[in-house]
Amino acid sequence: MAAIETDGLSKDYRIGFWRPRPYRALHPLTLSVESGEVFGFLGPNGAGKTTTLKLLMQLVYPTAGSATILGRPLGDREMKRRIGFLPENPYFYDYLTAEELLSYFGGLFGYKGADRAKRVSRLLDDVGVGGERRMQLRKFSKGMIQRVGLAQALINDPELVFLDEPMSGLDPIGRRDVRALILRLREEGRTVFFSSHILSDAETLCSRIAIVVKGHLTASGSLAELVTSTVKGWEIVLDGLPQTPAGPALLKVTPLAPGRFAVEAVPSVDPAQLARELAGATGRLVSINPIHDTLEDLFVQQVDNAASTDRFDGGTEPNREKSA
């Protein structure tokens, strides 16, 4: 059974004051997320990621289409006990401490006494909130609020966790901790659905991804399916060269320091032989790396294609969308 299924899910808003007109924030979205996977929902700012999550959480209601979570309709109360949610900009009552906030949410899920206190302490440890847990939340930075929000999303040991931009406001250490936590959730067999525009996190964490641009789903599948492993060229780093390297096999030369260069060569050459020729008598080979397509390449291609396709230009108004 899929953890999340959407069937033609879409959302229109009315914009304008004197003459309101429909604005389509999300075009019909049909998507399936399998149980136990980390699924990345990617797109640039304003692509429809947060709208999709709000629809799934019933913070807003769809214009058309339907969805199920854990095999149940969106309004099912029992299903909601089995999920966790971190919004993009979590906001909590300023005068509670982190411990008090989590204890409150734990009480809503029926946890009591020592079990609730132990659960609160463990989760705050997991997200990296130490002695600050007894401070009022109004004294927390954005990154610390994000950590508390993540702990809140996990207070009920959910089977499925929705995370909207979970790395927002975090420093490099915080991002590393959240990545480790998401991987641990996957190892425990939980499903994680997170939206992001930080592609390195998605590439590290996700088994499958979907890309949305201007409210349209433009790509979906495993990284292996979407990102080709074909070698597009070779990156060769050389040191100790008396002059800038040149030759017909070189596509790009980037100076890194005096006498040190990174060169990009065509895929058809023998990179080791080319490196020896470029290094000559005085140069030294530092590294040779194959150049592959990356998730960033795929992402930029999807965004560029959307920008150059008539169907995407002005397609946010449903009555202007052209038929295929």
Side-chain angles (χ1 to χ4, degrees):
M1 180 184 69
I4 305 168
E5 285 189 307
T6 69
D7 182 13
L9 196 66
S10 66
K11 179 62 180 176
D12 296 343
Y13 292 101
R14 304 290 293 181
I15 62 173
F17 181 73
W18 294 110
R19 299 180 62 185
R21 64 186 188 277
Y23 171 88
R24 178 153 289 180
L26 183 68
H27 290 256
L29 174 69
T30 298
L31 195 66
S32 180
V33 178
E34 298 301 318
S35 296
E37 71 175 345
V38 177
F39 191 94
F41 197 54
L42 313 179
N45 292 331
K49 304 186 301 297
T50 295
T51 295
T52 302
L53 281 167
K54 286 181 176 180
L55 289 169
L56 294 174
M57 296 296 101
Q58 286 200 306
L59 298 175
V60 298
Y61 292 90
T63 302
S66 61
T68 60
I69 297 175
L70 301 175
R72 295 174 178 265
L74 297 184
D76 186 84
R77 184 178 299 179
E78 181 58 32
M79 173 272 290
K80 291 184 178 181
R81 294 183 63 87
R82 298 160 59 194
I83 67 173
F85 173 53
L86 171 67
E88 180 178 6
N89 296 301
Y91 179 80
F92 305 117
Y93 185 64
D94 281 349
Y95 289 89
L96 290 178
T97 68
E99 282 184 330
E100 290 168 343
L101 178 79
L102 289 192
S103 181
Y104 170 74
F105 280 111
L108 293 179
F109 282 102
Y111 298 109
K112 300 181 184 301
D115 179 37
R116 180 166 64 177
K118 182 178 179 181
R119 183 179 297 269
V120 167
S121 179
R122 173 177 58 80
L123 283 171
L124 289 173
D125 287 340
D126 287 345
V127 299
V129 178
E132 307 94 338
R133 66 187 61 186
R134 295 182 179 86
M135 291 170 51
Q136 292 176 333
L137 294 174
R138 65 191 181 92
K139 300 177 182 177
F140 277 31
S141 66
K142 176 176 171 55
M144 292 300 291
I145 289 290
Q146 195 78 0
R147 290 172 185 257
V148 174
L150 185 57
Q152 167 274 139
L154 301 175
I155 191 69
N156 58 321
D157 279 337
E159 300 173 35
L160 169 59
V161 185
F162 294 89
L163 306 175
D164 192 2
E165 300 287 356
M167 309 298 181
S168 176
L170 295 176
D171 59 22
I173 300 299
R175 287 179 57 191
R176 181 200 63 188
D177 292 344
V178 172
R179 284 196 298 265
L181 181 58
I182 290 174
L183 291 174
R184 189 169 77 242
L185 292 172
R186 183 181 67 182
E187 291 168 2
E188 294 172 354
R190 306 175 198 265
T191 307
V192 179
F193 182 97
F194 78 90
S195 76
S196 181
H197 58 265
I198 302 177
L199 303 183
S200 58
D201 293 330
E203 208 158 13
T204 301
L205 298 169
C206 297
S207 46
R208 292 198 305 133
I209 64 165
I211 297 176
V212 287
V213 183
K214 295 185 178 181
H216 292 266
L217 178 67
T218 63
S220 178
S222 70
L223 285 171
E225 293 169 346
L226 296 174
V227 180
T228 177
S229 60
T230 303
V231 174
K232 298 171 54 182
W234 300 94
E235 182 192 62
I236 303 171
V237 179
L238 299 160
D239 197 14
L241 300 186
Q243 59 186 11
T244 302
L250 303 187
L251 300 172
K252 183 180 180 181
V253 178
T254 304
L256 303 176
R260 189 181 183 96
F261 298 89
V263 301
E264 183 179 325
V266 296
S268 57
V269 301
D270 179 343
Q273 175 62 31
L274 178 62
R276 286 192 292 269
E277 294 173 0
L278 295 175
T282 61
R284 179 176 66 87
L285 173 64
V286 177
S287 65
I288 297 177
N289 294 297
I291 300 172
H292 300 283
D293 279 331
T294 65
L295 180 56
E296 180 179 353
D297 295 325
L298 174 66
F299 184 90
V300 171
Q301 180 187 36
Q302 296 296 319
V303 174
D304 288 346
N305 287 345
S308 62
T309 303
D310 288 341
R311 183 171 65 90
F312 282 55
D313 292 338
T316 49
E317 293 187 24
N319 57 352
R320 291 176 58 188
E321 185 177 2
K322 300 178 181 178
S323 58

